[in-house]
Amino acid sequence: MTRPDLVLLDVNETLSDLTGLQDAFEQVGLPRDDVGGWFAGVLRDGFALTVLGDNPAFAEIATASLRARLSVAGHADPGQPAAEVLARFTALSAHPDVVPGLLAIADTGCRVATLSNGSASVAEALLGGTEAGPVVERYLSVEDAGTWKPAARAYAYALDVLDVVPERTLMVAVHPWDLEGASRAGLRTAWIRRGGGTYPGCFTPPDLEADSFVALAGMLRRT
């Protein structure tokens, strides 16, 4: 493939390290290993509401899901502990490969931007204070697109704002469902294999696969 003009990044799990929530879950009486299940449930509910024509706020769904889990865990008033966990969610750190990887990607001449199903402010808080902050051109959210990824309109919104055509854009994510949506919208795709595994056969194979953002930058440099 040719080198893209724009590298468009998913945020949650792709850039941010959700294991940073494990202590917060444990402190409010939830199992440490429930972080992944909680996040998957938030995505499920967001997708369901999107299919029904809504454009739900990520924070509202995340809070509702936490309150439900906290109620089952025995909290009579789950509002405060849910808020404590969400505060930690908005202050997560990036995976170790992200900052050097984004700097290396920008060094290839590619533009860099983010597109999240969550708030743009969360993505900006994640990267804005790092060395990679200056290379991120825009922090975009589906809140302004009117629909969650993987709906085609979410990617079209980002391309319109950034004034780039889909075939010159590389969507990067750890989530195959996100890359499937991007592929169907005409974008090129790159899968970051966090935790290994193989790409699900039910989806269109990505154009690139890499173990880290640093490795992805190396691939782009060679294109």
Side-chain angles (χ1 to χ4, degrees), residues 58-84:
F58 183 94
E60 291 181 5
I61 299 176
T63 299
S65 180
L66 280 170
R67 289 175 66 97
R69 279 173 155 76
L70 289 162
S71 293
V72 172
H75 286 269
D77 182 10
Q80 181 59 36
E84 292 173 5

Side-chain angles (χ1 to χ4, degrees), residues 105-183:
I105 288 172
D107 192 53
T108 69
C110 296
R111 299 162 61 193
V112 178
T114 67
L115 177 63
S116 176
N117 279 343
S119 170
S121 63
V122 172
E124 188 167 7
L126 180 72
L127 295 177
T130 72
E131 293 181 13
V135 308
V136 181
E137 182 176 331
R138 292 288 297 271
Y139 297 94
L140 302 177
S141 169
V142 300
E143 292 175 353
D144 300 310
T147 187
W148 279 38
K149 298 181 294 177
R153 187 153 50 104
Y155 305 100
Y157 155 76
L159 299 181
D160 182 59
V161 169
L162 296 164
D163 191 25
V164 64
V165 295
E167 60 269 22
R168 299 294 302 166
T169 303
L170 181 71
M171 183 72 207
V172 185
V174 297
H175 305 120
W177 55 261
D178 197 347
L179 299 182
E180 180 69 12
S183 178

Side-chain angles (χ1 to χ4, degrees), residues 21-38:
L21 281 181
Q22 290 178 345
D23 287 345
F25 266 52
E26 187 173 57
Q27 288 167 7
V28 298
L30 295 176
R32 293 176 60 87
D33 59 4
D34 194 31
V35 171
W38 164 74

Side-chain angles (χ1 to χ4, degrees), residues 45-56 146-149 151:
D45 294 348
F47 295 160
L49 291 170
T50 297
V51 169
L52 294 171
D54 296 338
N55 184 31
T147 187
W148 279 38
K149 298 181 294 177

Side-chain angles (χ1 to χ4, degrees), residues 1-43:
M1 62 176 280
T2 56
R3 187 177 303 160
D5 295 331
L6 172 71
V7 175
L8 189 59
L9 310 169
D10 175 51
V11 177
N12 294 324
E13 289 192 298
T14 300
L15 301 179
S16 61
D17 185 357
L18 292 191
T19 61
L21 281 181
Q22 290 178 345
D23 287 345
F25 266 52
E26 187 173 57
Q27 288 167 7
V28 298
L30 295 176
R32 293 176 60 87
D33 59 4
D34 194 31
V35 171
W38 164 74
F39 185 71
V42 172
L43 293 177

